[in-house]
Amino acid sequence: MADTALTAPLRSPLSHVADRLAAATRSSEGAIRLAELPFLAQLNVRLDAKGAAAAAVGLALDLQLPLQPNTVVRAGESTALWLGPDEWLLVGPPGSERDLESRIREAAGDEHVSVTDVSAQRTTLLVTGPRAHDLLAHGCPLDLHPRAFGSGRCAQTTLGRTQVVLVARDEPRAGFWVLVRSTFAGYLADWLLDAATEYR
């Protein structure tokens, strides 16, 4: 029987614009940095925030699920984003999807939990630099001033008319993650590159 396994290397949704993102970063002379963070593990998790499963899953992941709206909790290489009262997006390093899912399901036991691997659904753009707020403000309806949308915050919003999950990273000068559906990633990258011409 013929081997039908895929042998082609994985190709990220924005691999074709990597050079343009790097060029925009260089031409801004440090004002902004644009890059794709491809293949991050992304799991949509739904469970009762007040039930036993929430605490058990937090212990199993060594990462308590955030309970405050639009907040982020990070521990080690994993990040949990609050998407709704009973919904989170768990983001981890590339290739960790199966391990994270099995740990969640095992921890939940007989408690009701829904875990969906959405890693292939989105890619992640990194937008950093002293002018990152200004760049994103061109097309985002949120108030992105650090007092309103500071580190450890996230929101489902739009950027350049594209639905995204926006995350204010918690490390110093770490900027933002922009999680965008793969089918809209090229359009959003073009939008960001066009907006970034102001910083040349």
Side-chain angles (χ1 to χ4, degrees), residues 10-194:
L10 288 175
R11 195 162 174 239
S12 73
L14 294 177
S15 59
H16 66 287
V17 295
D19 291 342
R20 291 172 59 207
L21 295 173
T25 297
R26 286 191 301 274
S27 66
S28 77
E29 298 181 350
I32 56 165
R33 177 179 170 225
L34 300 174
E36 182 188 19
L37 303 176
F39 311 123
L40 292 179
Q42 297 183 43
L43 298 176
N44 185 270
V45 179
R46 300 201 71 164
L47 53 78
D48 180 359
K50 296 178 181 175
V57 166
L59 287 172
L61 297 175
D62 196 24
L63 173 77
Q64 292 303 311
L65 298 174
L67 299 179
Q68 294 296 321
N70 299 317
T71 58
V72 176
V73 172
R74 182 170 181 245
E77 293 185 294
S78 296
T79 304
L81 314 177
W82 185 97
L83 297 183
D86 65 350
E87 183 178 8
W88 296 265
L89 183 67
L90 182 63
V91 181
S96 63
E97 302 91 334
R98 288 186 181 173
D99 174 59
L100 291 171
E101 181 174 356
S102 66
R103 287 162 62 192
I104 292 168
R105 291 191 184 282
E106 185 177 330
D110 294 333
E111 297 287 321
H112 176 73
V113 63
S114 168
V115 185
T116 307
D117 182 356
V118 294
S119 305
Q121 183 186 63
R122 297 186 190 97
T123 191
T124 304
L125 279 155
L126 178 67
V127 182
T128 65
R131 303 300 299 274
H133 288 92
D134 300 330
L135 175 66
L136 295 175
H138 281 296
C140 183
L142 297 178
D143 178 358
L144 297 179
H145 191 281
R147 284 191 303 261
F149 196 78
S151 63
R153 304 288 298 175
C154 66
Q156 297 179 82
T157 185
T158 57
L159 178 62
R161 300 185 192 174
T162 302
Q163 290 186 341
V164 299
V165 178
L166 187 63
V167 181
R169 301 287 289 144
D170 56 1
E171 303 92 343
R173 287 177 262 154
F176 299 88
W177 275 354
V178 182
L179 288 76
V180 59
R181 290 187 185 273
S182 298
T183 51
F184 292 98
Y187 164 80
L188 187 61
D190 285 341
W191 184 90
L192 284 166
L193 287 164
D194 183 62

